[in-house]
Amino acid sequence: MTDLSLKITAKSIPHSVWSADWLRTAEKQAADYLGVTLYELMQRAGAAAFHLARELYPQSQHWLVACGHGNNGGDGYVVARLAQAAGIRVTLLALESDKPLPEEAACARDAWLDAAGVIHAPHHLWPEDIDLVIDGILGTGLNSAPRDSTAEIIEKCNQYALPVIALDTPSGLLAETGATPGAVIKATHTMTFIALKPGLLTGKARDVVGTLHFHALGLEAWLTGQTAPVTRVDSAQLSGWLPARRPTSHKGDNGRLVVIGGDHGTAGAIRMAGEAALRAGAGLVRVLTRSENIAPLVTARPELMVQELTPHSLDESLEWADVIVIGPGLGQQEWGKKALQKVENSRKPMLWDADALNLLAINPDKRQNRVMTPHPGEAARLLNCAVSQIESDRLLAASCLVKRYGGVAVLKGAGTIVASQSGQCAIVDVGNAGMGSGGMGDVLSGIVGALLAQKLTPYDAACAGCVAHGAAADVLAHRFGTRGMLASDLLSTLSPFVNPDLNSKEND
């Protein structure tokens, strides 16, 4: 069998993301492409996971391998056999079922038994010297909460303060959506095979996946010939969206942006959106807000052009601007409603956030020149459903948003989804828990608006803006931790990500 003991690092995580449902049906085609059996692919998967476990925990001496009644369990039998052959003590627990094992998993189980391996029932007493758990209980086919008997062993795995390596996906995590409808393994590491699945990147994934590792099992060339429905985006792609500027470019080339909002008591929201737009490279940024906000905003950030929002200033600014951002601190009173009514007639690229989206939910319309940036609560109002429905399938929710409202939707959260009505879809693989604080959405609105003003397409501006926003927050989390992170703190770490050409020069 091919030796798959290569070093596996985060750099090996691909940018193509594939439906778990599609992959299960395509595995036979993949095996035929290589001229191998599905059992050979299973052996490759088990070998890749075994070598990862040895690399991560070289001192471990007693592994507990929990096997379900499917092909994920088959991967576990392979890991157990290889570990035992390497002199590691193995305790293997297997779930019971009235149904026969799939053919490949049965072969893996028989190979384990032929190697003098022992299979214990799930309620078997755990030895006290277990130092590593291998999770092969449930695979990518799960689409509901685990059954009670399965949930019991999952909860038992979680009770022990031991490292856990999950095979393909943590048991209980839905590989298609990232939802966790019941008990779920809290893995320290997850080794996924052949292709990256969306549920490993969004929803509740970050709570349970741990460090994600990937192995294509030799199918890289086969995957290259397929068209992935979803893209994983991160800071490595920023240079493709944000090339170096021409030395002769001037402020007019970099776009004129008007930012509208900041009702009574919400000057901070519009100030953060405006300054973020400047920091992300917009050439000129005009803020239309309440008159009481003018002096504080100009004092804090004199580069902003700040005016009172009136019918005249709004008409003039909509004519002047290349791009419009509306929503931060807008409110839902008559002042904000009248501004939005005038903005919605513009054909220029625009971004709607916060109360602009809440007002849109009341009076829906569909347009192609708009980027929407809802959090799950706003998305639920836009789709007239519960937040739990949004979070149960975030990719579907984003798709429904653009189907109903057009343009581009950014469904914010852990594993932000960016979707366009033309069918493009991305999962943003940056960001951290520190971003769960007020004002983060205002900063994002300014960044994406600035990139629209610099002539990125709405979809590219949304992807690049979300990546730069999350990556800037990741720098802060690395330096100071996630608790206490402020939205305005991101302005101090944003520059390297909106200037990725500098990073590439430093690496040359």
Side-chain angles (χ1 to χ4, degrees):
M1 187 174 67
T2 304
D3 181 16
L4 298 178
S5 57
L6 59 136
K7 185 174 178 65
I8 300 167
T9 69
K11 292 181 179 178
S12 67
I13 304 299
H15 287 105
S16 296
V17 182
W18 305 83
S19 163
D21 295 336
W22 170 82
L23 188 59
R24 283 193 302 277
T25 62
E27 278 185 332
K28 181 64 167 66
Q29 177 189 346
D32 290 343
Y33 175 89
L34 281 181
V36 300
T37 65
L38 288 171
Y39 180 49
E40 169 66 12
L41 282 185
M42 180 175 286
Q43 292 184 82
R44 292 184 178 203
F50 166 71
H51 288 303
L52 175 69
R54 289 288 274 169
E55 180 181 326
L56 292 171
Y57 301 102
Q59 304 304 317
S60 61
Q61 298 179 0
H62 190 172
W63 297 4
L64 184 133
V65 181
C67 294
H69 206 75
N71 283 332
N72 195 246
D75 297 338
Y77 282 114
V78 175
V79 173
R81 177 172 52 80
L82 294 174
Q84 183 170 269
I88 297 167
R89 187 179 170 197
V90 176
T91 296
L92 187 143
L93 309 182
L95 272 69
E96 299 162 344
S97 175
D98 296 333
K99 298 179 180 179
L101 277 172
E103 179 182 351
E104 295 78 28
C107 290
R109 178 197 58 192
D110 292 345
W112 164 248
L113 293 172
D114 290 343
V118 177
I119 297 176
H120 298 283
H123 57 266
H124 178 77
L125 186 65
W126 282 34
E128 292 185 0
D129 60 345
I130 296 290
D131 50 17
L132 179 65
V133 175
I134 305 295
D135 164 32
I137 303 169
L138 297 169
T140 62
L142 186 71
N143 55 22
S144 61
R147 296 178 180 178
D148 290 346
S149 58
T150 306
E152 286 179 14
I153 191 170
I154 289 174
E155 296 292 3
K156 190 170 184 179
C157 289
N158 289 336
Q159 287 172 8
Y160 289 83
L162 295 171
V164 177
I165 297 178
L167 306 180
D168 218 4
T169 185
S171 294
L173 177 73
L174 305 193
E176 198 67 31
T177 65
T180 54
V184 60
I185 285 285
K186 296 178 181 177
T188 316
H189 297 269
T190 297
M191 165 66 90
T192 199
F193 308 117
I194 302 180
L196 202 55
K197 295 86 178 172
L200 295 168
L201 301 171
T202 193
K204 296 297 184 183
R206 293 193 184 187
D207 285 343
V208 299
V209 167
T211 302
L212 181 60
H213 307 266
F214 168 77
H215 206 299
L217 308 184
L219 290 167
E220 294 88 346
W222 174 75
L223 282 170
T224 300
Q226 316 296 319
T227 301
V230 179
T231 302
R232 182 183 71 89
V233 292
D234 62 11
S235 57
Q237 291 138 298
L238 284 171
S239 59
W241 292 309
L242 301 171
R245 288 179 170 175
R246 291 181 296 104
T248 57
S249 63
H250 54 79
K251 61 188 178 184
D253 295 330
N254 300 326
R256 295 175 298 201
L257 177 67
V258 61
V259 185
I260 304 164
D263 200 355
H264 298 301
T266 58
I270 204 68
R271 183 263 169 104
M272 285 187 286
E275 182 167 355
L278 289 171
R279 297 290 187 184
L284 294 165
V285 179
R286 181 181 295 183
V287 174
L288 299 184
T289 187
R290 289 285 190 181
S291 59
E292 68 206 50
N293 298 333
I294 295 174
L297 264 64
V298 172
T299 301
R301 183 48 59 208
E303 295 87 351
L304 291 172
M305 301 180 290
V306 189
Q307 294 179 255
E308 182 181 4
L309 173 59
T310 65
H312 174 74
S313 67
L314 182 55
D315 286 339
E316 194 275 329
S317 295
L318 294 179
E319 178 67 26
W320 168 84
D322 299 313
V323 171
I324 305 155
V325 169
I326 186 166
L330 185 69
Q332 298 183 52
Q333 305 306 311
E334 206 60 28
W335 182 80
K337 287 180 181 178
K338 287 182 178 179
L340 188 63
Q341 288 167 0
K342 191 160 287 189
V343 166
E344 65 186 5
N345 294 321
S346 175
R347 296 178 180 270
K348 292 180 178 180
M350 57 179 66
L351 181 144
W352 290 26
D353 185 34
D355 280 321
L357 298 176
N358 293 324
L359 292 170
L360 177 63
I362 298 169
N363 294 297
D365 72 2
K366 189 172 184 178
R367 59 180 62 245
Q368 300 309 316
N369 61 327
R370 176 175 56 204
V371 176
M372 302 176 292
T373 56
H375 57 57
E378 291 159 347
R381 289 189 281 276
L382 288 165
L383 294 176
N384 193 29
C385 67
V387 173
S388 59
Q389 289 178 266
I390 299 294
E391 291 292 72
S392 69
D393 193 337
R394 290 169 52 79
L395 278 88
L396 177 62
S399 175
C400 289
L401 284 168
V402 293
K403 185 177 181 180
R404 181 174 297 187
Y405 293 97
V408 172
V410 175
L411 178 55
K412 296 182 288 195
T416 290
I417 308 296
V418 182
S420 74
Q421 193 179 5
S422 62
Q424 297 164 294
C425 185
I427 302 175
V428 181
D429 194 22
V430 292
N432 60 78
M435 301 174 77
S437 63
M440 288 290 174
D442 304 316
V443 171
L444 177 64
S445 294
I447 295 170
V448 176
L451 299 183
L452 284 169
Q454 292 167 78
K455 300 181 175 58
L456 273 71
T457 67
Y459 180 76
D460 285 352
C463 288
C466 288
V467 168
H469 182 249
D474 286 343
V475 170
L476 291 169
H478 178 72
R479 291 178 183 172
F480 308 114
T482 57
R483 187 172 284 112
M485 186 185 298
L486 303 182
S488 56
D489 292 341
L490 272 63
L491 302 176
S492 68
T493 54
L494 180 64
S495 293
F497 302 105
V498 294
N499 294 284
D501 54 302
L502 293 180
N503 293 330
S504 62
K505 288 178 183 177
E506 289 175 0
N507 293 330
D508 287 344

Coordinates of all heavy atoms in Angstrom, one line a residue, residues 3 44 159 187 194 244 276 315 333 345 405 463 475 501:
D3 N 2.7 4.6 0.8 CA 3.0 5.2 2.1 C 2.5 6.7 2.0 O 2.9 7.4 1.2 CB 4.5 5.2 2.3 CG 4.9 5.8 3.6 OD1 4.0 6.0 4.5 OD2 6.1 6.1 3.8
R44 N -6.1 3.8 2.6 CA -5.3 5.1 2.5 C -5.8 6.1 3.5 O -5.0 6.8 4.2 CB -5.5 5.7 1.1 CG -4.8 4.9 0.0 CD -4.9 5.6 -1.3 NE -4.3 4.9 -2.4 CZ -3.8 5.4 -3.5 NH1 -4.0 6.7 -3.8 NH2 -3.2 4.6 -4.5
Q159 N -16.3 13.4 27.9 CA -16.1 13.5 29.4 C -14.6 13.4 29.8 O -14.2 14.0 30.8 CB -16.9 12.4 30.1 CG -18.4 12.7 30.1 CD -19.2 11.5 30.6 OE1 -18.6 10.5 31.2 NE2 -20.5 11.5 30.5
A187 N -13.6 17.5 19.0 CA -12.3 17.0 18.5 C -11.2 18.0 18.8 O -11.4 19.2 18.8 CB -12.3 16.7 17.1
I194 N -10.2 13.2 1.0 CA -10.5 13.4 -0.4 C -10.8 14.9 -0.7 O -10.2 15.5 -1.6 CB -11.7 12.5 -0.9 CG1 -11.3 11.1 -0.7 CG2 -12.0 12.8 -2.4 CD1 -12.4 10.1 -1.1
A244 N -1.2 45.7 -6.6 CA -0.6 47.0 -6.2 C -1.2 48.1 -7.1 O -1.5 48.0 -8.2 CB 0.9 46.9 -6.4
A276 N -13.2 53.1 8.6 CA -12.8 51.8 8.0 C -12.7 51.9 6.4 O -11.8 51.3 5.8 CB -13.8 50.7 8.3
D315 N -29.3 64.3 -2.1 CA -29.4 64.3 -3.6 C -28.0 64.6 -4.2 O -27.6 63.9 -5.1 CB -30.4 65.4 -4.1 CG -31.8 64.9 -3.8 OD1 -32.1 63.7 -3.7 OD2 -32.7 65.8 -3.8
Q333 N -36.6 55.0 12.2 CA -37.5 56.1 12.3 C -37.6 56.8 10.9 O -37.0 56.5 10.0 CB -37.1 57.1 13.4 CG -36.9 56.5 14.8 CD -38.2 55.7 15.2 OE1 -39.3 56.2 15.2 NE2 -37.9 54.4 15.7
N345 N -33.5 54.1 -5.1 CA -33.7 54.4 -6.5 C -32.4 54.5 -7.3 O -32.4 54.6 -8.5 CB -34.5 55.7 -6.7 CG -35.9 55.6 -6.1 OD1 -36.5 54.6 -6.3 ND2 -36.3 56.7 -5.4
Y405 N -33.7 38.6 -2.8 CA -33.3 40.0 -2.8 C -32.3 40.4 -3.9 O -32.1 41.6 -4.1 CB -32.8 40.4 -1.5 CG -33.9 40.4 -0.4 CD1 -33.9 39.3 0.5 CD2 -34.8 41.4 -0.2 CE1 -34.9 39.2 1.5 CE2 -35.7 41.4 0.8 CZ -35.8 40.3 1.6 OH -36.8 40.2 2.6
C463 N -16.1 39.3 -0.7 CA -15.1 38.2 -0.3 C -13.9 38.9 0.3 O -13.4 38.5 1.4 CB -14.8 37.3 -1.5 SG -16.1 36.2 -2.0
V475 N -5.1 38.9 13.8 CA -3.8 39.4 14.3 C -4.0 39.9 15.7 O -3.1 39.6 16.6 CB -3.3 40.6 13.4 CG1 -2.1 41.3 14.0 CG2 -2.9 40.0 12.0
D501 N 0.3 43.2 -1.6 CA 1.6 43.3 -2.4 C 2.8 43.5 -1.5 O 3.9 43.0 -1.8 CB 1.5 44.4 -3.4 CG 1.2 45.7 -2.8 OD1 0.1 45.8 -2.1 OD2 1.9 46.7 -3.0

